[in-house]
Amino acid sequence: MENEEKQLLGTEEKNEGTVTEPVEKTEKEDIRTFTQEEVNAMLTKERKKMPSKEELQAFKEWQETQKTLEQKQAEKETEFQNALSKNAELEEENKVLKAGVNIDDVDYVVFKVAKMEGDFEENLQSFLKENPKYLKQENIENNNQNTDINLGGNHENKTQITKEEFNKMSYPARLKLYNENKTLYDQLVKN
């Protein structure tokens, strides 16, 4: 009964020394069975196509060296980019310190100026003009001592300054006027 079922299903099995390929039997196809010797011959033929253990080991070692070189290159690139950004950051801090900013305010000023569009140095100068509170007090005093009020004429001993002259004044000159004659400064600002 079991053989009849196998014949109905179209499969056949041989147990001793042979391997069968179960294939549905049709009228046009035959079942192909292989002996153990044929299977061994096919496997040997396929193994010859594959690399030897030594070749495979050499390939794996080469792969590791390549991977390591790629990783080293990536690490060096990352280090280089970090060094460039650190260098740029230190240059900006140096410029801010040279501009006379309080040491406690350097990080904040660098942050604010770096967010501005355009040249860092130009932005720094305009930021410090708008926010003199970040400058060192002694730096402001030094600027006042070293910078005379230059109005483009002979106005050094004048106590009265016109609005036009005031508008032409530099920031340190205005600061000096503010420190020396606050009421005149307030009058010129209001007008």
Side-chain angles (χ1 to χ4, degrees):
M1 180 108 183
E2 196 173 323
N3 287 337
E4 291 174 7
E5 287 177 2
K6 287 182 182 178
Q7 287 177 348
L8 289 175
L9 292 175
T11 60
E12 220 178 281
E13 286 185 37
K14 292 184 181 176
N15 290 333
E16 291 184 39
T18 60
V19 176
T20 61
E21 291 181 345
V23 177
E24 290 186 25
K25 242 185 188 178
T26 61
E27 295 175 11
K28 296 180 182 178
E29 286 188 43
D30 291 332
I31 295 178
R32 172 79 169 127
T33 58
F34 297 97
T35 63
Q36 188 63 43
E37 292 170 355
E38 291 174 326
V39 171
N40 290 342
M42 286 189 288
L43 288 174
T44 304
K45 183 179 175 184
E46 290 298 316
R47 283 186 189 138
K48 286 182 183 178
K49 293 180 183 177
M50 295 180 63
S52 67
K53 289 182 182 180
E54 294 83 22
E55 291 173 331
L56 190 58
Q57 182 63 29
F59 176 73
K60 286 181 180 179
E61 288 173 5
W62 176 82
Q63 232 178 2
E64 284 298 315
T65 60
Q66 292 302 312
K67 183 178 180 183
T68 304
L69 289 175
E70 290 171 359
Q71 287 175 342
K72 286 180 183 178
Q73 182 65 26
E75 288 173 5
K76 289 197 183 282
E77 182 67 27
T78 303
E79 288 176 24
F80 179 71
Q81 292 300 327
N82 289 342
L84 284 178
S85 66
K86 184 68 175 172
N87 186 31
E89 182 180 316
L90 290 174
E91 285 177 354
E92 290 173 351
E93 285 183 20
N94 191 19
K95 289 175 186 176
V96 169
L97 285 170
K98 283 183 178 180
V101 174
N102 291 323
I103 192 99
D104 296 332
D105 298 324
V106 169
D107 289 335
Y108 178 74
V109 172
V110 168
F111 172 76
K112 291 298 275 186
V113 173
K115 294 285 184 186
M116 300 169 78
E117 292 182 18
D119 183 51
F120 184 84
E121 291 181 36
E122 292 173 3
N123 292 339
L124 176 63
Q125 293 303 319
S126 66
F127 179 80
L128 291 177
K129 283 181 182 178
E130 295 169 5
N131 302 291
K133 63 184 176 187
Y134 296 113
L135 293 172
K136 293 179 187 174
Q137 188 61 32
E138 60 195 46
N139 189 42
I140 294 172
E141 291 169 5
N142 288 340
N143 281 343
N144 290 339
Q145 292 171 359
N146 295 334
T147 308
D148 292 331
I149 300 174
N150 184 2
L151 302 175
N154 190 7
H155 304 289
E156 293 170 14
N157 295 327
K158 270 184 141 183
T159 56
Q160 290 298 322
I161 300 173
T162 65
K163 179 69 174 170
E164 183 180 327
E165 292 171 335
F166 180 78
N167 290 336
K168 292 180 182 178
M169 291 173 76
S170 66
Y171 173 75
R174 287 183 186 194
L175 186 61
K176 184 175 182 181
L177 177 64
Y178 176 81
N179 288 333
E180 292 175 357
N181 194 345
K182 185 170 178 1
T183 53
L184 177 60
Y185 178 85
D186 289 339
Q187 285 176 346
L188 293 169
V189 169
K190 289 179 185 176
N191 291 338

